[in-house]
Amino acid sequence: MQLLSGNRLGSLTRSTPVKNPQFSTAVQSRSSRKLSTTMATTVKTVTTKEVATKPIDGQKTGTSGLRKRTQVFMSENYLANWVQSLFYALGDEIVGKTLALGGDGRYFGKEAAQIIIKLAAGNGFKRIVIGKDALLATPAMSALIRRRKLYGGLLMTASHNPGGPDNDFGIKFNYSAGEPAPESITDKIYDETMKISALKFGDLSDVDLSKVGVTAFGSFEVEVVDSVEDYLSTLKEVFDFPLLKSFMARKDFSMVFDGMHAVTGPYAKRILVEELGAPDSSLKDCEPSPTFNGGHPDPNLTYAEELVKIMWGDKAPTMGAASDGDGDRNMILGDHFFITPSDSVAMIAANAEAIPYYKSGLKGVARSMPTSGALDRVASALKLPFFETPTGWKFFGNLMDAGKCSVCGEESFGTGGDHIREKDGIFAVLAWLSILAYKNKSVPEGGKLVGIKDVAMEHWNKYGRNFFSRYDYEEVDSAAAASVMDQVRNIIASSPKGTKLGSFTVDAADDFKYVDPIDGSVAAGQGLRFVFADGSRIIFRLSGTGSAGATIRMYIEQYSNDPTQYEKDAQEALAPIIKVALELSQLEKFTGRERPTVIT
Ligand code: G16
């Protein structure tokens, strides 16, 4: 172990290999007792060194944490300033607490972990629990916090954004229910970043993160844990693993999971292969890489291109799935078939009986505002409480904590439930496997296997189809993006109920505002929307997750209950309303973009 110069705690550091987390608890408490006895006569706590710093502009948290270019994060004190500001914002309540730490394995993550560990020690935390090699998928972090009742956790991730020295890095804080920090905390962090003057580092050496075990520095401890174990235990409480295993063994079923060289590789190996018996050949790109192998780890039809080719190929497997950089997003595909995320959450809710965790029924369901209304129809048919929140998983947390929401989802490839407080890519994969296993219970091997498309067709035949598409214009000049939004605002202001836009009649047009039904907090300015008399919608938002320029998102939705239309291509079905949206926003005129970067 390398020691910082002048570190007098070196003689007390030690590493205890621990294999089983339950056993590890016993080992830790024994080792802490022993160490504190030693410490009583030598060193009581970690020494804190204060380092002067200055505020850095632009450290405002976006939709989910702070995301910037990696070089920005690597510049002097950039990461430390934000983390220290978080600790100042949280105040004395962090003293003596345990903080979880992990990330999606992207470039700079291991160095960042060492900086955060030292700051945590210098600010009074008593313990860090960190995933081996600093890896923790975002849903696994949420599960870890909840299972071990930790104070909270820091995730080093820029999610689906590419990684590497010339791409993105990010950091976000999850609070004690495992949920992304609410705006009341992120606003405070931002205030602190603007007045920060000192960083408090614990005077410790770097910790070896490659081995599971405990390293103690006086009263401060760092426990390196298996990144999968706690999360797997949570998933086993949700799904029927033996049923999934026997379904996976069917010769007429096959799947491919694309880890996109991101964090879920080790999770997929452990869960799909070792626990559920999928063959190794069903895993694609499941070796994590700090640059995601030069790819864009965003599971959509554009960036998961290779998976799409497999699923539209001659010998397509029954099911295809992918997850993103940090494992919270997912994409579900069938043989020549794409399940939109908006449909995915609706279909999971409608088929919740296939998942043992929901055996006593759903408490309620929720979706973000731009997500299609497919879920609304399920909620209405099943008489379930329904909530429409702003974009951002953090808005679901209060509903789940209050026992009002069991399943929720977002069009941005996020699906999840109240087993944790993050969206959960592997959950979505296991949920769809559960639906298939359930629907094929009485189908003998070699019979007509119910596939992903069959589930979708059955659903649309019952509820109708909400055609949905999102156009992303990435890295647009910020001023041009602002002009588009101003233009849309002007049209909203001059479009009272009854106004005709193309062949669509406006029912309501506004800037979405959410009043949290649990704590009454208000989130305004959450998306410009037109709702038409036939239920169709056009929505414009600026993304809160980009790291450079602005990303305009245009969301389009139209409902049909005409069965002859259900198999139509969404772009074809939505062509007239897309035309209206592009015309009213004058997007091309302001941005010079003739077409979007990504269509989903
Ligand atoms: C984050 C949030 C999601 C949100 C998504 C898109 O996802 O956790 O709740 O829907 O960003 O946000 P925006 O439209 O503002 O870019 P992730 O997977 O990037 O963490």
Side-chain angles (χ1 to χ4, degrees):
M1 179 172 295
Q2 255 192 353
L3 298 181
L4 288 177
S5 61
N7 181 349
R8 292 194 310 273
L9 305 175
S11 58
L12 278 180
T13 63
R14 54 181 236 168
S15 185
T16 312
V18 179
K19 291 212 175 72
N20 170 322
Q22 275 172 348
F23 176 53
S24 87
T25 316
V27 171
Q28 287 151 25
S29 46
R30 275 201 302 276
S31 65
S32 345
R33 272 202 299 276
K34 194 165 167 199
L35 279 165
S36 48
T37 317
T38 321
M39 279 167 353
T41 54
T42 51
V43 179
K44 285 195 185 107
T45 57
V46 167
T47 310
T48 298
K49 290 188 306 189
E50 286 213 0
V51 174
T53 190
K54 286 193 180 125
I56 300 173
D57 280 346
Q59 293 201 309
K60 191 163 178 56
T61 312
T63 307
S64 189
L66 182 69
R67 295 178 191 173
K68 296 284 177 198
R69 292 291 190 226
T70 309
Q71 297 292 342
V72 172
F73 262 101
M74 290 171 74
S75 61
E76 194 184 1
N77 292 344
Y78 193 89
L79 171 73
N81 263 25
W82 190 89
V83 174
Q84 181 66 63
S85 298
L86 164 71
F87 294 161
Y88 284 143
L90 296 169
D92 288 345
E93 70 173 46
I94 64 178
V95 176
K97 300 282 170 42
T98 300
L99 182 74
L101 178 60
D104 58 17
R106 70 181 57 224
Y107 188 86
F108 185 55
K110 287 186 182 161
E111 294 83 348
Q114 301 292 351
I115 295 170
I116 294 169
I117 289 170
K118 292 181 180 101
L119 283 167
N123 280 273
F125 279 99
K126 78 160 194 267
R127 190 177 182 87
I128 291 278
V129 176
I130 180 168
K132 183 167 169 289
D133 293 322
L135 284 184
L136 266 184
T138 292
M141 165 65 86
S142 190
L144 185 72
I145 294 171
R146 293 173 71 77
R147 290 193 86 78
R148 298 191 181 207
K149 301 194 173 19
L150 306 182
Y151 171 78
L154 274 168
L155 272 163
M156 302 170 291
T157 173
S159 185
H160 56 288
N161 297 9
D166 300 322
N167 286 304
D168 292 354
F169 191 79
I171 182 92
K172 75 172 195 170
F173 175 63
N174 282 41
Y175 213 9
S176 47
E179 79 282 26
E183 288 190 341
S184 53
I185 293 184
T186 55
D187 288 349
K188 269 194 203 159
I189 302 170
Y190 184 54
D191 290 347
E192 294 291 344
T193 66
M194 293 191 294
K195 56 185 189 207
I196 190 166
S197 61
L199 304 167
K200 295 183 193 173
F201 288 103
D203 190 7
L204 4 142
S205 58
D206 281 0
V207 181
D208 180 359
L209 302 176
S210 68
K211 289 184 199 76
V212 168
V214 178
T215 303
F217 299 89
S219 56
F220 177 74
E221 294 184 341
V222 179
E223 181 185 1
V224 178
V225 298
D226 180 289
S227 307
V228 185
E229 206 65 50
D230 286 70
Y231 176 58
L232 175 60
S233 303
T234 293
L235 291 176
K236 282 187 172 171
E237 290 167 5
V238 177
F239 297 102
D240 182 344
F241 269 56
L243 174 71
L244 297 184
K245 188 169 185 172
S246 67
F247 179 67
M248 196 77 94
R250 285 179 71 128
K251 294 206 170 45
D252 53 358
F253 173 79
S254 57
M255 76 173 291
V256 56
F257 176 84
D258 187 349
M260 303 190 87
H261 289 293
V263 76
T264 38
Y267 293 84
K269 265 186 205 148
R270 179 73 191 281
I271 297 167
L272 298 177
V273 174
E274 291 168 25
E275 290 284 333
L276 298 178
D280 279 326
S281 58
S282 59
L283 301 186
K284 174 179 159 18
D285 297 343
C286 279
E287 300 301 332
S289 138
T291 60
F292 308 116
N293 212 27
H296 192 143
D298 195 356
N300 59 38
L301 296 172
T302 302
Y303 295 126
E305 190 190 355
E306 289 174 15
L307 176 67
V308 169
K309 270 192 199 136
I310 295 171
M311 297 308 296
W312 266 260
D314 288 343
K315 289 189 182 142
T318 321
M319 177 171 160
S323 68
D324 71 330
D326 60 329
D328 57 357
R329 295 184 177 208
N330 76 91
M331 177 168 71
I332 302 293
L333 301 173
D335 179 352
H336 293 73
F337 202 79
F338 167 58
I339 297 283
T340 69
S342 297
D343 275 343
S344 183
V345 62
M347 291 172 190
I348 291 172
N351 292 291
E353 66 205 6
I355 300 171
Y357 182 68
Y358 300 127
K359 66 176 180 293
S360 26
L362 301 177
K363 295 168 197 152
V365 293
R367 64 160 171 84
S368 65
M369 184 274 281
T371 304
S372 94
L375 183 64
D376 315 28
R377 293 175 188 279
V378 175
S380 150
L382 302 181
K383 301 196 172 28
L384 293 172
F386 165 80
F387 303 90
E388 182 182 42
T389 61
T391 293
W393 205 261
K394 59 193 172 207
F395 293 104
F396 295 132
N398 274 353
L399 298 173
M400 295 195 206
D401 288 348
K404 292 186 179 302
C405 172
S406 305
V407 170
C408 47
E410 295 187 276
E411 49 63 41
S412 53
F413 293 81
T415 321
D418 63 346
H419 60 296
I420 55 171
R421 295 293 180 271
E422 281 282 3
K423 55 189 188 273
D424 188 343
I426 300 274
F427 163 89
V429 175
L430 298 187
W432 273 92
L433 275 174
S434 301
I435 294 172
L436 293 182
Y438 188 78
K439 296 216 179 264
N440 285 294
K441 254 184 180 167
S442 54
V443 179
E445 221 168 287
K448 162 105 185 59
L449 191 85
V450 178
I452 301 275
K453 180 177 176 185
D454 301 313
V455 175
M457 292 309 296
E458 183 190 314
H459 187 93
W460 292 337
N461 277 309
K462 183 163 179 190
Y463 296 99
R465 176 171 177 190
N466 289 71
F467 285 96
F468 179 86
S469 186
R470 184 176 101 184
Y471 280 29
D472 292 340
Y473 298 82
E474 295 177 347
E475 296 195 16
V476 167
D477 170 70
S478 300
S483 302
V484 172
M485 298 304 276
D486 285 344
Q487 161 71 12
V488 176
R489 267 186 213 102
N490 289 339
I491 302 288
I492 287 178
S494 59
S495 301
K497 189 178 164 108
T499 306
K500 279 270 192 193
L501 293 174
S503 59
F504 297 87
T505 308
V506 172
D507 185 41
D510 64 2
D511 194 344
F512 181 60
K513 182 169 123 180
Y514 179 64
V515 181
D516 187 298
I518 311 303
D519 64 14
S521 58
V522 176
Q526 297 294 321
L528 304 174
R529 63 176 178 177
F530 298 85
V531 182
F532 299 105
D534 65 353
S536 308
R537 296 191 306 163
I538 295 174
I539 295 152
F540 287 89
R541 270 185 74 242
L542 293 184
S543 160
T545 55
S547 60
T551 293
I552 304 173
R553 303 209 194 283
M554 181 177 98
Y555 312 80
I556 304 291
E557 177 186 7
Q558 192 165 9
Y559 176 71
S560 167
N561 57 6
D562 174 358
T564 65
Q565 302 297 303
Y566 293 162
E567 295 205 49
K568 218 173 185 178
D569 176 71
Q571 296 309 313
E572 198 190 321
L574 296 171
I577 189 167
I578 288 173
K579 190 161 174 273
V580 170
L582 291 173
E583 277 171 11
L584 77 81
S585 62
Q586 297 186 27
L587 202 144
E588 187 178 338
K589 183 186 108 184
F590 288 116
T591 65
R593 299 285 180 94
E594 288 174 22
R595 58 188 63 84
T597 330
V598 177
I599 297 183
T600 41

